[in-house]
Amino acid sequence: QEGDLPMSARNGSASDEECRITEVCRAPEDVELTELGPLLEESGGPGKAQGATAGGPAGAAACPEEEEEEEEEEGVRVITLPLQAHHAMEKMEEFVYKMWEGRWRVIPYHVLPEWLKDNDYLLHGHRPPMPSFRACFGSIFRIHTETGNIWTHLLGLILFLCLGILTMLRPNVYFMAPLQEKVVFGMFFLGAVLCLCFSWLFHTVYCHSEKVSRTFSKLDYSGIALLIMGSFVPWLYYSFYCSPQPRLIYLSIVCVLGIAAIIVSQWDRFSTPRHRPTRAGVFMGLGLSGIVPTMHFTIAEGFVKATTVGQMGWFFLMGAMYITGAGLYAARIPERYFPGKCDIWFQSHQIFHVLVVAAAFIHFYGVSNLQEFRYGLEGGCTDDSLL
């Protein structure tokens, strides 16, 4: 029966039975499934056996019987550092070429490198490490765990760019104080555009490398703080239009808290999975700082006027959507209860993205109504009104 086996099988059998060296003889591994690192020599190939056995005959199998005594005398063989580095460079070049050409496939969670592991309830469909920006940006047209996260905020970015341009180009006759009001709206649109832009860029390139992932995650979190800060500006401007002193105080407090959130988000560990609740808490706290001016406004104007003329109903809805999205993100619902079922669509991060875009649009609608109300009053103020 042994005569029926090919030569490579017999050599492999001899290797298993008689090889006394300690280096591991293993089957070739797909480098797309593992993080690139020190690459050990693979047995079975003529060229590889030649590299591992100094002075050995070309094409000889590992651990031949006639060289058993010689191997016992030499002891444990190790791959020299230059040869190991050479093999690693060859594998890296091959890997980068595949990434550049877009020839990659999604991989399961358990083979991801540690810096790419974020949500252990998403079991399949992850991108491998891709050290090529071209491959990263090309991946937005492929289906994987980040496809929904990328496109929800990329489309949201386009929406708010269009809304911002249309608002800035409105004739000045529709504003009581065109320069001030366009600056106020501009602050909101700037925060929204930066937030959505940083977000879709982060989700696109974070599989590039650990350094790139860490850098863009800090931009992503800073963008969230900028969106919250920018959202406060037009609301406080119109809600406290006739009360400049409390308006200035509230704006200053929001700016200080927003800058503090940006500083905290630069902490390297802030982006780790362990601090997911911390991230949600920081930004929820920044948003909930608006409770104080909201209560001030509601008490001063009365609940009915605040929720109708003051548009507080829309702002309450906006706050509820932000809080719901952040809560789902922190708790990783629904994938927590359906592991492997929400890998591509309907995961918590995608729901959070959709709620952020919807809440920002609702905020814009409410502020626009406040602006129209102020325009209808022709800029006048009464002694007993904040509006």
Side-chain angles (χ1 to χ4, degrees):
Q1 294 180 353
E2 185 178 74
D4 296 334
L5 294 176
M7 181 65 67
S8 61
R10 292 201 301 270
N11 291 339
S13 177
S15 173
D16 292 340
E17 294 175 359
E18 302 175 8
C19 183
R20 298 173 181 269
I21 60 175
T22 57
E23 69 178 14
V24 179
C25 299
R26 59 187 178 89
E29 294 178 348
D30 188 349
V31 295
E32 294 178 5
L33 300 183
T34 57
E35 184 178 18
L36 290 174
L39 300 175
L40 297 176
E41 183 188 51
E42 300 168 355
S43 63
K48 294 168 184 175
Q50 183 180 10
T53 307
C63 313
E65 295 179 2
E66 59 272 16
E67 295 182 4
E68 182 176 358
E69 295 180 358
E70 179 183 352
E71 289 181 355
E72 290 178 350
E73 294 176 358
E74 292 178 354
V76 177
R77 296 181 181 274
V78 294
I79 302 176
T80 62
L81 185 60
L83 182 58
Q84 186 176 359
H86 176 69
H87 287 169
M89 288 302 299
E90 287 182 342
K91 293 295 184 180
M92 175 64 80
E93 289 176 3
E94 179 184 358
F95 182 76
V96 172
Y97 176 76
K98 288 182 178 181
M99 294 300 102
W100 181 264
E101 294 296 322
R103 294 186 296 167
W104 55 272
R105 64 177 183 268
V106 295
I107 60 177
Y109 176 85
H110 71 274
V111 299
L112 289 172
E114 287 300 321
W115 59 271
L116 270 179
K117 289 183 176 180
D118 179 64
N119 191 338
D120 54 0
Y121 295 111
L122 305 180
L123 305 183
H124 305 284
H126 297 270
R127 291 175 298 176
M130 298 192 296
S132 162
F133 283 109
R134 176 181 175 179
C136 290
F137 282 99
S139 72
I140 69 175
F141 302 106
R142 297 273 298 272
I143 302 299
H144 47 80
T145 55
E146 294 297 331
T147 302
N149 293 330
I150 292 170
W151 281 99
T152 47
H153 274 184
L154 179 56
L155 294 175
L157 171 64
I158 296 172
L159 169 65
F160 277 93
L161 277 174
C162 294
L163 286 175
I165 292 172
L166 290 175
T167 301
M168 294 299 106
L169 294 180
R170 286 183 65 187
N172 290 341
V173 295
Y174 293 102
F175 298 94
M176 291 306 303
L179 179 60
Q180 290 183 15
E181 294 184 65
K182 287 188 176 182
V183 168
V184 163
F185 272 100
M187 296 294 289
F188 166 70
F189 284 114
L190 180 63
V193 166
L194 288 178
C195 174
L196 298 174
C197 183
F198 291 157
S199 177
W200 88 267
L201 285 176
F202 164 68
H203 287 286
T204 299
V205 305
Y206 94 103
C207 64
H208 180 279
S209 63
E210 185 174 6
K211 181 179 180 180
V212 169
S213 173
R214 186 182 301 116
T215 300
F216 277 85
S217 69
K218 293 176 181 179
L219 290 175
D220 184 27
Y221 301 137
S222 298
I224 297 174
L226 291 173
L227 171 61
I228 296 173
M229 293 166 63
S231 299
F232 270 108
V233 173
W235 175 67
L236 290 173
Y237 176 82
Y238 287 112
S239 296
F240 293 87
Y241 190 86
C242 298
S243 303
Q245 185 174 358
R247 178 179 64 192
L248 178 61
I249 293 174
Y250 290 138
L251 280 174
S252 301
I253 293 174
V254 167
C255 289
V256 170
L257 293 176
I259 293 172
I262 292 175
I263 293 174
V264 171
S265 67
Q266 305 309 301
W267 181 38
D268 286 342
R269 294 186 180 180
F270 190 74
S271 60
T272 60
R274 178 182 178 183
H275 289 87
R276 180 189 301 269
T278 305
R279 295 196 295 270
V282 167
F283 297 118
M284 284 179 64
L286 178 58
L288 291 174
S289 64
I291 290 179
V292 175
T294 298
M295 295 300 297
H296 181 177
F297 180 81
T298 302
I299 293 172
E301 298 292 334
F303 181 78
V304 175
K305 186 177 179 181
T307 53
T308 53
V309 177
Q311 306 297 315
M312 290 303 300
W314 293 112
F315 298 130
F316 286 142
L317 176 60
M318 174 205 69
M321 295 176 75
Y322 277 136
I323 293 173
T324 300
L328 293 176
Y329 165 77
R332 291 182 288 180
I333 297 173
E335 64 266 20
R336 173 184 292 272
Y337 301 106
F338 305 97
K341 303 297 183 182
C342 305
D343 293 342
I344 306 301
W345 307 113
F346 304 110
Q347 54 186 260
S348 59
H349 208 122
Q350 293 172 3
I351 298 173
F352 176 46
H353 276 201
V354 172
L355 290 176
V356 165
V357 174
F361 181 79
I362 288 173
H363 184 80
F364 169 71
Y365 179 77
V367 169
S368 297
N369 289 340
L370 277 177
Q371 188 272 329
E372 291 181 2
F373 171 77
R374 175 52 47 195
Y375 180 78
L377 292 181
E378 298 182 353
C381 291
T382 59
D383 294 337
D384 59 347
S385 176
L386 299 175
L387 281 169

